[in-house]
Amino acid sequence: MTPREVLALCREREIYAVDLRFMDFPGLQKHFTIPVSELTEQSFDEGFGFDGSSIRGWQAINESDMLVVPEASTAIVDPFMTRTLAMTCNIQDPITREDYAKDPRNVARKAERYMRSTGIADTANFGPECEFFVFDDVRFDSSQQHAFYYIDSQEGQWNRGRVEAGGNRGHKIRYGEGYFPVPPTDTLQDLRTEIMLRLQECSVGVEAQHHEVASGGQCEVDLKFAPLVQSADQLLLYKYIVKNVAARHGKTATFMPKPIWNDAGSGMHLHFSLWKDAENLFSGSGYAGLSDTALYAIGGILKHAYSVMAFACPTTNSYKRLVPGYEAPVNLTYSSRNRSAAIRIPVHSPRPENKRFEFRCPDPSSNSYLAMSAMLMAALDGIENRIDPGPPLDKDIYDLAPEELVDVARTPLSLDESLLALRKDHEFLLRGDVFTEDVIDTWIWYKSEKEIEALRQRPHPFEFAMYYDI
């Protein structure tokens, strides 16, 4: 869609308001709204001013003026707001008119440009499987003298004995048995279908929707693959639609990786392939039908996995998901079909265009622009340096004896570990000026000071269960 076509759409749909959206540094979407009369063809070049010092991790107050520049190709009619057109924007410096280095979307755009400059590929396709929870009630607080959280779902196994208005109808989902139940056990079928339809209205391709493994309302809607920037744009829209559909059903949705202890957490498995001249470069005659290019890409991702996970698993809560027994990867290896490996090669189709691999470590708390860009840069490094991923591990990793796992690298145990690795291993991210030293430094500073240290200093409720009577 061109700027002129956007303006025509506004007239055709009698749009009153234009919502300008972008993603902040840690990964939350931001927006402000203008009257449609303020949007002209020049707006797509000149942009609109805003205060960058109020956005986390961005500008100092003495250099706060910045521009949002709408991207015409992202225009949609908002499915929830009254006569509102929404567009994703790029961020620019108003003086130099350069793209802002800490704008996550700009990082992703540079990653695509760098990939093309190498001559290796012209397209990096990502197909996200983004899981989430839908709850009926959530309450939490943390202060000087108290800290708690409380979540509830009518599907939760913990409610089997609850007295409910009109009677308890049973059909609660047992822990770890939430995969593919039919209604009435699956109470969220209509909600997920509405999410699917709203996505399709916004031209986002959907492959399937279903209930996920965990008790208490875990869901998944699978998006069709798309090039990196487009896929990351669609994930922003996906989260927006999921949260708003849930709210309209009187519920609340979260993309927090591990909101429920002792049950499966939410991942964002990324299916990945590289293409050139409309040919899938990952199709070949090697292991699981992959090419050498694909295996080298796997080698690069496994080599740089800790650094990539600083962006793909970017919260302290992320590492509560990466524990044995809940279908989350805990070892850095690859395998066909095996969902206990960090990288899985699907083998359901022999068609060359379907050849890809799935990186299972990322979770939906990640900033999709940064996570996908880091993954692509690691894959390109693997291809350029012909990094051997080693032999595959076609066994259930959870059942292996300790001596069999001695030589198998594990995933990091904490965000601290991932950030330490990123500090030591980020040269591959700097190529093509995709990530900059300032972006890396700001990311490590923000995550360390605003999240890790903030949590480390606070007493935890479970500490009272363990130590109050000491």
Side-chain angles (χ1 to χ4, degrees), residues 59-77:
Q59 295 292 83
I61 196 167
N62 61 312
E63 49 184 9
S64 59
D65 287 353
M66 303 195 76
L67 293 175
V68 295
V69 182
E71 185 78 57
S73 62
T74 67
I76 61 160
V77 177

Side-chain angles (χ1 to χ4, degrees), residues 38-328:
E38 292 296 306
L39 186 70
T40 66
E41 282 194 60
Q42 289 71 36
S43 302
F44 293 88
D45 293 319
E46 297 173 359
F48 299 90
F50 74 103
D51 177 8
S53 68
S54 297
I55 305 299
R56 297 179 297 172
W58 278 9
Q59 295 292 83
I61 196 167
N62 61 312
E63 49 184 9
S64 59
D65 287 353
M66 303 195 76
L67 293 175
V68 295
V69 182
E71 185 78 57
S73 62
T74 67
I76 61 160
V77 177
D78 190 292
F80 306 104
M81 303 299 127
T82 304
R83 295 190 181 182
T84 298
L85 180 123
M87 286 186 286
T88 301
C89 300
N90 300 313
I91 308 300
Q92 289 186 353
D93 184 292
I95 298 175
T96 66
R97 295 309 305 263
E98 292 180 351
D99 292 325
Y100 185 47
K102 294 180 188 175
D103 172 16
R105 194 172 192 271
N106 181 38
V107 173
R109 291 161 65 210
K110 289 193 291 184
E112 286 191 321
R113 286 198 295 268
Y114 173 73
M115 171 192 65
R116 289 190 286 269
S117 76
T118 65
I120 292 172
D122 53 38
T123 304
N125 279 326
F126 287 83
E129 296 179 359
C130 191
E131 299 165 345
F132 57 94
F133 278 88
V134 176
F135 296 128
D136 295 295
D137 184 34
V138 57
R139 289 175 281 127
F140 52 88
D141 198 12
S142 179
S143 186
Q144 283 82 355
Q145 46 68 250
H146 71 267
F148 78 97
Y149 70 90
Y150 179 86
I151 56 179
D152 201 12
S153 164
Q154 67 184 55
E155 292 185 349
Q157 177 177 322
W158 58 85
N159 280 323
R160 289 188 300 193
R162 183 173 69 176
V163 176
E164 298 179 348
N168 190 323
R169 300 292 187 252
H171 296 294
K172 309 303 181 187
I173 295 177
R174 288 182 287 272
Y175 297 120
E177 297 185 22
Y179 199 61
F180 284 16
V182 296
T185 303
D186 178 4
T187 67
L188 300 170
Q189 166 69 12
D190 284 345
L191 182 147
R192 292 193 308 274
T193 295
E194 184 175 341
I195 290 169
M196 178 178 71
L197 295 176
R198 294 289 172 269
L199 285 165
Q200 290 177 319
E201 286 175 15
C202 296
S203 301
V204 177
V206 177
E207 291 188 341
Q209 60 91 345
H210 59 86
H211 204 287
E212 258 298 341
V213 169
S215 181
Q218 191 181 33
C219 299
E220 177 176 308
V221 181
D222 297 333
L223 305 185
K224 289 187 177 180
F225 68 84
L228 192 161
V229 174
Q230 182 183 348
S231 182
D233 285 344
Q234 290 178 350
L235 267 171
L236 270 186
L237 184 57
Y238 171 79
K239 289 185 175 183
Y240 176 74
I241 288 175
V242 166
K243 291 177 179 179
N244 278 280
V245 169
R248 292 198 167 200
H249 282 250
K251 299 179 185 292
T252 176
T254 181
F255 291 90
M256 187 176 176
K258 190 77 170 183
I260 298 178
W261 174 70
N262 210 28
D263 208 344
S266 291
M268 187 180 74
H269 311 147
L270 292 175
H271 292 255
F272 175 62
S273 59
L274 292 177
W275 295 66
K276 187 173 184 180
D277 299 328
E279 180 182 347
N280 186 354
L281 302 179
F282 281 7
S283 178
S285 57
Y287 175 77
L290 293 183
S291 65
D292 288 342
T293 298
L295 292 171
Y296 293 143
I298 290 173
I301 291 172
L302 292 178
K303 176 183 177 180
H304 299 296
Y306 274 46
S307 296
V308 172
M309 289 173 69
F311 295 104
C313 304
T315 66
T316 57
N317 186 254
S318 298
Y319 298 85
K320 293 177 171 60
R321 166 183 165 252
L322 299 175
V323 294
Y326 300 100
E327 293 196 11

